[in-house]
Amino acid sequence: MDAYKLWVRKNRDLVRSLESLANGVTWILPERFGNSEIAPEAVYALLGIISSVNQHIIETPTDGQGQSIPWALVVSILKDAEAVVEVAAQHFVGDDRKWGFLAVTEAVKACVRLAAFRESGYRMLLQGGEVENEEEDIIADNHGVKSNGVPVIYPMNGHPQNGHEIGSNGLDGKAGFISKSLEGRAVAALNKFGQNAKMMSDPMWMTRLQPTPVTPVMEVEKPTLATVWSSKGVSGRLFMLGEAVHIFRPLVYVLMIRKFGIRSWTPWLVSLAVELTSLGIHSHATDLNHRAGKVHHLSSAERDELKRRKMMWALYVMRDPFFANYTKRHLEKAEKALNPVPLVGFLIGKLVELVEGAQSRYTYTSGS
């Protein structure tokens, strides 16, 4: 396994090219959307899992540091496996009874995402938890800066200075967390100078045989639910509620389909309402920060995530009953109009065929 990891890291560009080529070929496999598509779907899912594992290997530090459980990888594997669960359930138990299996799958995914949410320090999930949120969101007020709304963790023998966290330096010159500001660096340099001066004033320092003790670097503890709940205030609690609503949206959607059927407007409308509720809660939490004199700075990745969630609303035109009543009708009109055009008509026909085939699969249009 170590040899494979080393090969993947050395040939990452080749690995990604081969994965893209293989994934593209699977879309034109025979019976991809036919009556017996379990094998092609399993091949596509297997390639997706291999791609996720390779990406995890590339992004994982070689020193072995990282999460004890790679939740992002687990989410990716579940998403790939869900397509196989759907086609297998449809083949063996039928269209109506497959929703029970999909509900169980979505429940497992929701639990994994909640665990990833907790592991990340209750920060926003990126791409449904498939990407780790390693950037800090900053809440600034008139009294200083707090990272992620969590109380400052004081380093050993150190104190926050000018609103920044300054870690104490070891005698070997290694430092803990040092502020990026000029003031923070100056304080750190003075701290190191004072420690070195104290060491030189000791007349016995040259006769000591044991190694010089090094001040350990303090690791920032991950906030617990109780810490975040008490420290973030109303806006922070609303943010956590908005993320929880977003996490459970796919499960609610599947349960509604299982109860009312895929042709009913109830699941479609409930899912859209949950999406709007989640976004509304996030917006309201930001407004509360502004009113309290605080500015909630989302990281660039989190801003992109909110944009991505809004773009995912386009999938609602691909979901029944909207697709059957509106989208499909316009696709058929376009296909009929462009069919006489050489080559263009053929390509449009194939495109419509792929769209209709993908639309028939919950996993391709669920946005989960």
Side-chain angles (χ1 to χ4, degrees), residues 271-287:
S271 178
L272 180 60
V274 173
E275 295 263 23
L276 295 174
T277 300
S278 176
L279 180 64
I281 292 175
H282 281 300
S283 300
H284 187 58
T286 304
D287 291 340

Side-chain angles (χ1 to χ4, degrees), residues 134-136 138 161 163-167 176-186 188:
E134 298 178 347
E135 298 186 37
E136 294 284 348
I138 304 300
Q161 311 232 356
H164 301 280
E165 299 174 43
I166 306 298
F177 177 78
I178 304 300
S179 174
K180 294 182 180 180
S181 65
L182 294 178
E183 296 86 355
R185 293 177 182 176

Side-chain angles (χ1 to χ4, degrees), residues 184-254:
R185 293 177 182 176
V187 173
L190 290 174
N191 185 26
K192 179 181 177 182
F193 177 79
Q195 290 179 350
N196 291 338
K198 181 179 178 180
M199 181 186 70
M200 294 296 295
S201 64
D202 188 355
M204 298 296 295
W205 72 278
M206 295 185 62
T207 60
R208 292 177 182 173
L209 298 178
Q210 66 272 22
T212 304
V214 178
T215 304
V217 177
M218 293 294 294
E219 296 182 358
V220 179
E221 297 180 359
K222 294 181 179 179
T224 62
L225 178 60
T227 302
V228 176
W229 191 263
S230 61
S231 63
K232 280 195 172 184
V234 177
S235 61
R237 296 167 190 172
L238 285 175
F239 171 81
M240 295 173 62
L241 177 61
E243 279 299 293
V245 170
H246 178 74
I247 289 172
F248 282 102
R249 198 276 312 169
L251 177 59
V252 173
Y253 180 49
V254 172

Side-chain angles (χ1 to χ4, degrees), residues 15-25:
V15 170
R16 288 168 177 167
S17 299
L18 292 176
E19 291 170 354
S20 300
L21 177 61
N23 289 332
V25 169

Side-chain angles (χ1 to χ4, degrees), residues 80-353:
D80 289 323
E82 187 176 26
V84 182
V85 172
E86 180 180 5
V87 296
Q90 183 176 357
H91 179 77
F92 292 108
V93 300
D95 289 336
D96 295 334
R97 299 178 60 185
K98 74 176 183 180
W99 299 108
F101 294 90
L102 289 174
V104 173
T105 306
E106 289 293 357
V108 173
K109 286 167 58 180
C111 293
V112 171
R113 282 170 174 155
L114 285 176
F117 186 42
R118 178 182 179 276
E119 184 73 16
S120 67
Y122 300 98
R123 291 200 288 267
M124 183 181 295
L125 294 182
L126 305 180
Q127 297 186 23
E130 292 186 84
V131 177
E132 295 181 12
N133 189 352
E134 298 178 347
E135 298 186 37
E136 294 284 348
D137 55 311
I138 304 300
I139 300 178
D141 56 21
N142 296 328
H143 303 287
V145 177
K146 289 192 282 188
S147 174
N148 200 28
V150 180
V152 175
I153 304 298
Y154 292 98
M156 293 184 67
N157 301 325
H159 303 277
Q161 311 232 356
N162 299 329
H164 301 280
E165 299 174 43
I166 306 298
S168 60
N169 295 340
L171 300 182
D172 60 347
K174 294 182 180 180
F177 177 78
I178 304 300
S179 174
K180 294 182 180 180
S181 65
L182 294 178
E183 296 86 355
R185 293 177 182 176
V187 173
L190 290 174
N191 185 26
K192 179 181 177 182
F193 177 79
Q195 290 179 350
N196 291 338
K198 181 179 178 180
M199 181 186 70
M200 294 296 295
S201 64
D202 188 355
M204 298 296 295
W205 72 278
M206 295 185 62
T207 60
R208 292 177 182 173
L209 298 178
Q210 66 272 22
T212 304
V214 178
T215 304
V217 177
M218 293 294 294
E219 296 182 358
V220 179
E221 297 180 359
K222 294 181 179 179
T224 62
L225 178 60
T227 302
V228 176
W229 191 263
S230 61
S231 63
K232 280 195 172 184
V234 177
S235 61
R237 296 167 190 172
L238 285 175
F239 171 81
M240 295 173 62
L241 177 61
E243 279 299 293
V245 170
H246 178 74
I247 289 172
F248 282 102
R249 198 276 312 169
L251 177 59
V252 173
Y253 180 49
V254 172
L255 292 176
M256 290 292 102
I257 294 177
R258 186 170 180 264
K259 181 177 181 179
F260 296 99
I262 190 64
R263 299 294 180 180
S264 172
W265 281 98
T266 301
W268 193 90
L269 292 173
V270 169
S271 178
L272 180 60
V274 173
E275 295 263 23
L276 295 174
T277 300
S278 176
L279 180 64
I281 292 175
H282 281 300
S283 300
H284 187 58
T286 304
D287 291 340
L288 287 178
N289 277 327
H290 282 290
R291 294 174 186 175
K294 300 178 181 180
V295 181
H296 187 205
H297 297 286
L298 294 176
S299 67
S300 59
E302 290 172 340
R303 290 193 296 268
D304 292 340
E305 171 63 18
L306 290 178
K307 294 177 182 178
R308 187 194 72 87
R309 293 181 185 182
K310 294 178 181 179
M311 292 179 63
M312 293 294 287
W313 293 353
L315 290 174
Y316 280 91
V317 303
M318 294 290 293
R319 298 173 189 167
D320 284 330
F322 191 95
F323 181 85
N325 295 331
Y326 301 101
T327 308
K328 185 177 181 180
R329 186 187 310 167
H330 291 290
L331 288 176
E332 291 174 348
K333 289 181 179 179
E335 181 183 11
K336 186 180 296 184
L338 296 175
N339 189 47
V341 182
L343 185 60
V344 175
F346 172 78
L347 293 177
I348 292 297
K350 286 296 181 182
L351 178 61
V352 172
E353 180 182 350

